[in-house]
Amino acid sequence: MTRISAADYHDVAQVEDPQVSPDGDRVAFVRKVPKDDESYEQTVYLVPTDGTGEARRFTVAEGVDSKPRWSPSGDRLAFVSTRGADDDRPQLWVLPVSGGEAERVTDVPGGVGNVAWSPDGSKIAFQQSTTAEEREERLDTNLGGEEYERETPDPRVVDRLVYRQHGRYKDGAEPHVYVVHLDEAGDGEDAEADADAPRVERLTEGEYGHVSPAWGDNETLYFGVKRHQGDTEPDDSVVIDIVAHDLSTGETEDVTRTTAWGLALDATADGRLAFGRTPEERLSMRQSDVVVYDRKADEEFVPTENLDRDIALQGGLSWGPSEERVYFLTPDEGDYVARRVPGDASADPDVLVGEGHATSVSVGGPADDSVVAVAKSEWDHRGDVFCLSEGEERRLTSVNADYLERVEVREPEEVRFESEEGVEVQGWVLTPPEFDPEGTYPLVVEVHGGPHAMWSVTGTMWHEFQLMAARGYVVFWSNPRGSTGYGEEFATAIERDWGEVTMTDVMAGVELVCERDYVDEENVFLTGGSFGGFMTGWMVGETDRFRGAVAQRGVYDLSSFYGSTDAFKLIEGDFDTTPWDEPEFLWEQSPVAHAADVSTPTLVMHAENDFRVPVNNGEMFYLFLRKNGVETRLVRYPREGHELSRSGEPAHVVDRLERTVRWFDGYSDHHDAPKALERGDDGLSAANDGEDGRGDGDESDD
């Protein structure tokens, strides 16, 4: 067997967004794998739920496919794809499950997201971000096959607090809710409209964001609206009004209200709404709950009120086929588990699928025999589709079977240790392949982002952890205070103190691991991204314990972060202040304030289109380090946003990993390698002529 390399990223497939068919017999899911250095192949697959058949590709590889959604009758599958387009705007397609050609049912300028079938299968609701000009000229409902490109403002005039997100500028585009009538042709009044195309209708108006459409009955569509709240503009508010739109009359009615970062919403035919809610006060530090509002009875239930766990709303929230129970995910002490709870709060939530890292959940099948599907990774694989049926959990796919047969994967060891004040912290230790307990190895310490997040033994970090071990390092990671999955008191322990509290917990784990005879306590290295980048910057300013560090897309100056991010509410919530109220306090809580105390060689990496933690933070930290004589380098990744490590261009993902281990190798007594500052491009795949840029760049230097 061979050791895992950074370039193996090109060979590792991911599974996303499993969706159970209405009869419970099949699961549709998205398989994603790098296509070349810059893009991914992303297609829809089907797999039977009884475990008797292999997964088969359902859509052709002609674009980036996502969001597969079964029609209520199960005879059609809607999906979103860029196929046939010369831009990256995804459109909505419908494909008969029995076979045939896929039909594109939208041609809209803002792309399609958040797809939902009507109960009778005659309509599909979706979300699209459009400008006022597009709506006024009716370009937003049908471009008629004409080439269209939004003009880039020059100059760009900004009148909003949040004017760029997810690596792009908004430039006046706001999300609105649309419905495509599959059995009705367009009315011909749209600009250049194709009269034979299904009719697309916009249901919403104004310069507000309209999100997360969910059907009740055939004529009632629910969605969220972010409006001004008194003197508070939408970008400064976490209040979301949930409204009902009656398609038969065109009337819209405010139904209820929630507070959250974003809206997770589902509805029943009789008017019961399930959605996520996070307390408005200090929202960034609080746990979310599932809330059920009964529209007819005007009653509200909180069925997760007694569950001291955060609800992972990005993983989905939905009613089951009987419309009696709500399904969702929660982080739970190193696992992300699928749970369900009665909508009337008559019983506490129970765990359905656990022991792993689930990223999304779907439920389908007959009302009395529902099937639950999750995308789940475990220590020995990057992720597959699993289902729970008749009380039995089955693994339905092995998308990386061939790859896993030829590489050595190590099993992490769980450790529990005590930090200050008797707080128990969970962590893991991963040893290198061909591990010799009589040998001695350097240690890499990884710190997670968030800060209110949770690491497991797998998930998006599976490849990176296994790579570090394959390069000859013992790897340690943990969930210090501030992490989710251990209750609200644990998560809020870092209030107004990101640095010292987290460092205390991480270092308690480091010292415990360093007591092992096979760990070289003089060769310890540190890295992390986002909040983990903050902690890397903080810790090298507080201790010289580390031989080398790699700080990635981190927050290094809290005030400049506040003034340039789309997540400024994080500072208001976690620190309960603003830069003008306590400028000196936020300065002292920032890693750059302690840059003069840094002696650890520190590589700084950042994405140029990172609008969550803008690149000025990385630039500032790098300049401060260099001015103070620290061995450092700044690496900037063009075209990338904050998700670089998870979904960046494949060549960039590989380069980031190679540069990280190369930086550590140069300061390790266990690797015969020069410092990265002296190596030029040596050791990087991008410098080689191999296929897809995959040369010998990440061969071990030891």
Side-chain angles (χ1 to χ4, degrees):
M1 302 184 79
T2 61
R3 293 193 176 196
I4 288 175
S5 71
D8 286 356
Y9 181 79
H10 288 270
D11 300 325
V12 178
Q14 304 172 40
V15 298
E16 300 176 348
D17 201 6
Q19 296 291 316
V20 182
S21 63
D23 59 11
D25 290 343
R26 288 172 289 187
V27 176
F29 66 95
V30 175
R31 178 182 182 272
K32 176 182 177 181
V33 67
K35 180 180 179 181
D36 51 39
D37 279 354
E38 298 180 352
S39 62
Y40 294 84
E41 177 184 289
Q42 199 165 303
T43 50
V44 177
Y45 277 65
L46 300 182
V47 64
T49 57
D50 61 7
T52 60
E54 298 291 328
R56 66 178 181 88
R57 192 170 70 184
F58 185 65
T59 60
V60 296
E62 292 184 358
V64 176
D65 300 338
S66 64
K67 299 178 177 60
R69 296 294 182 268
W70 295 93
S71 66
S73 61
D75 64 332
R76 292 164 291 171
L77 195 71
F79 62 98
V80 173
S81 180
T82 59
R83 65 166 65 183
D86 57 2
D87 53 44
D88 60 354
R89 290 192 295 261
Q91 302 296 336
L92 182 61
W93 295 72
V94 176
L95 179 59
V97 176
S98 59
E101 294 293 327
E103 177 189 5
R104 190 178 71 179
V105 298
T106 66
D107 184 14
V108 295
V112 172
N114 286 343
V115 177
W117 284 87
S118 65
D120 64 0
S122 67
K123 300 178 284 290
I124 302 177
F126 65 92
Q127 182 180 313
Q128 175 195 185
S129 291
T130 57
T131 66
E133 292 76 16
E134 289 165 350
R135 296 191 296 273
E136 182 179 351
E137 297 178 19
R138 301 192 66 177
L139 294 172
D140 62 324
T141 56
N142 196 334
L143 292 172
E146 295 295 317
E147 292 186 6
Y148 175 79
E149 184 176 352
R150 288 176 181 163
E151 293 186 6
T152 300
D154 184 8
R156 180 172 271 121
V157 179
V158 176
D159 295 310
R160 297 287 296 265
L161 286 173
V162 176
Y163 58 93
R164 55 185 188 178
Q165 282 182 313
H166 311 304
R168 297 187 178 190
Y169 285 87
K170 297 172 69 173
D171 290 336
E174 288 291 334
H176 282 263
V177 173
Y178 295 76
V179 168
V180 54
H181 299 260
L182 299 176
D183 301 327
E184 299 179 29
D187 57 18
E189 295 181 5
D190 298 333
E192 304 294 335
D194 181 352
D196 295 327
R199 181 170 70 91
V200 175
E201 175 186 10
R202 175 168 35 85
L203 305 185
T204 55
E205 299 284 349
E207 297 305 308
Y208 302 122
H210 303 75
V211 296
S212 304
W215 293 92
D217 57 36
N218 288 317
E219 298 299 329
T220 307
L221 187 67
Y222 299 94
F223 48 85
V225 187
K226 289 197 70 175
R227 304 184 175 113
H228 282 82
Q229 303 295 329
D231 295 332
T232 303
E233 59 179 278
D235 295 338
D236 202 18
S237 172
V238 294
V239 175
I240 303 174
D241 292 318
I242 299 177
V243 303
H245 183 93
D246 188 327
L247 272 73
S248 63
T249 65
E251 296 181 354
T252 298
E253 173 189 350
D254 284 14
V255 173
T256 187
R257 174 175 286 183
T258 190
T259 51
W261 286 121
L263 180 62
L265 172 68
D266 199 16
T268 64
D270 63 359
R272 285 172 293 129
L273 308 178
F275 52 90
R277 175 181 291 161
T278 312
E280 183 175 9
E281 186 70 21
R282 310 290 297 279
L283 178 138
S284 66
M285 302 197 72
R286 306 296 299 279
Q287 293 185 153
S288 300
D289 273 305
V290 173
V291 177
V292 173
Y293 175 71
D294 188 326
R295 190 179 176 191
K296 292 181 179 178
D298 192 24
E299 289 184 286
E300 183 176 281
F301 305 92
V302 185
T304 58
E305 186 173 14
N306 297 324
L307 178 66
D308 190 17
R309 291 292 183 267
D310 191 35
I311 308 302
L313 298 176
Q314 71 277 10
L317 180 155
S318 61
W319 289 97
S322 67
E323 298 189 336
E324 295 178 354
R325 290 172 291 195
V326 183
Y327 294 74
F328 55 95
L329 300 177
T330 67
D332 190 8
E333 298 193 16
D335 292 319
Y336 278 83
V337 303
R339 282 184 158 101
R340 68 180 177 187
V341 67
D344 61 3
S346 58
D348 289 334
D350 57 340
V351 175
L352 297 175
V353 180
E355 296 185 357
H357 188 134
T359 55
S360 57
V361 60
S362 169
V363 58
D368 58 350
D369 188 25
S370 59
V371 177
V372 179
V374 298
K376 185 174 75 166
S377 55
E378 298 170 297
W379 74 265
D380 56 349
H381 67 94
R382 173 62 180 81
D384 276 296
V385 178
F386 291 73
C387 83
L388 180 73
S389 177
E390 299 179 343
E392 178 186 357
E393 183 177 324
R394 300 188 190 95
R395 181 174 176 174
L396 303 183
T397 67
S398 297
V399 297
N400 291 304
D402 292 342
Y403 170 72
L404 293 171
E405 284 182 0
R406 68 175 190 264
V407 296
E408 183 173 356
V409 177
R410 300 286 295 174
E411 182 175 3
E413 171 198 352
E414 180 186 1
V415 292
R416 300 262 182 169
F417 55 93
E418 189 173 292
S419 186
E420 69 174 15
E421 301 174 359
V423 174
E424 184 183 72
V425 178
Q426 183 183 27
W428 293 269
V429 176
L430 184 66
T431 54
E434 303 173 9
F435 172 68
D436 179 4
E438 301 300 321
T440 307
Y441 301 86
L443 175 68
V444 167
V445 179
E446 296 254 14
V447 184
H448 72 59
H452 307 297
M454 186 195 76
W455 264 351
S456 64
V457 299
T458 181
T460 58
M461 295 300 294
W462 180 86
H463 182 215
E464 181 167 332
F465 290 159
Q466 294 289 338
L467 169 67
M468 294 292 176
R471 291 295 293 260
Y473 294 89
V474 173
V475 189
F476 168 71
W477 66 96
S478 62
N479 288 320
R481 279 173 292 175
S483 304
T484 59
Y486 304 87
E488 188 162 88
E489 182 179 353
F490 193 89
T492 58
I494 61 170
E495 178 181 4
R496 287 176 64 86
D497 189 357
W498 278 5
E500 285 305 305
V501 174
T502 306
M503 179 175 171
T504 296
D505 291 359
V506 172
M507 292 305 296
V510 170
E511 298 309 322
L512 177 70
V513 175
C514 284
E515 291 177 0
R516 302 185 177 197
D517 291 340
Y518 60 79
V519 173
D520 183 351
E521 63 179 355
E522 299 299 322
N523 279 259
V524 183
F525 300 87
L526 176 67
T527 189
S530 193
F531 171 73
F534 169 95
M535 284 308 306
T536 299
W538 181 269
M539 292 170 72
V540 296
E542 298 295 316
T543 178
D544 59 2
R545 187 74 172 79
F546 302 100
R547 274 287 187 93
V550 179
Q552 306 177 51
R553 65 191 191 285
V555 177
Y556 307 113
D557 178 53
L558 294 174
S559 291
S560 65
F561 167 73
Y562 181 94
S564 56
T565 182
D566 62 348
F568 55 87
K569 304 295 283 187
L570 180 61
I571 300 299
E572 296 177 358
D574 275 35
F575 290 91
D576 194 26
T577 193
T578 62
W580 51 90
D581 288 323
E582 295 183 90
E584 293 182 0
F585 169 73
L586 288 180
W587 172 254
E588 287 298 324
Q589 292 291 321
S590 300
V592 290
H594 310 279
D597 299 322
V598 176
S599 60
T600 305
T602 302
L603 175 66
V604 181
M605 296 196 286
H606 224 101
E608 293 189 351
N609 288 344
D610 189 342
F611 297 153
R612 175 55 50 88
V613 184
V615 69
N616 67 295
N617 261 249
E619 293 171 326
M620 186 177 185
F621 189 48
Y622 162 74
L623 188 146
F624 281 29
L625 293 180
R626 194 167 182 87
K627 285 286 289 184
N628 282 282
V630 177
E631 292 183 52
T632 185
R633 168 177 282 166
L634 173 64
V635 180
R636 296 166 58 113
Y637 289 95
R639 303 179 299 280
E640 299 292 0
H642 198 58
E643 297 299 302
L644 163 63
S645 64
R646 292 176 281 269
S647 59
E649 294 178 11
H652 285 162
V653 175
V654 171
D655 186 84
R656 181 190 69 86
L657 292 170
E658 290 177 346
R659 288 185 186 276
T660 300
V661 293
R662 197 177 71 141
W663 189 265
F664 294 159
D665 289 353
Y667 296 97
S668 168
D669 292 335
H670 300 263
H671 294 77
D672 184 15
K675 296 177 181 179
L677 294 174
E678 302 169 0
R679 293 181 66 177
D681 290 335
D682 174 49
L684 300 175
S685 290
N688 298 301
D689 297 325
E691 183 180 353
D692 292 333
R694 298 169 60 188
D696 59 357
D698 50 7
E699 292 297 321
S700 178
D701 293 302
D702 58 354

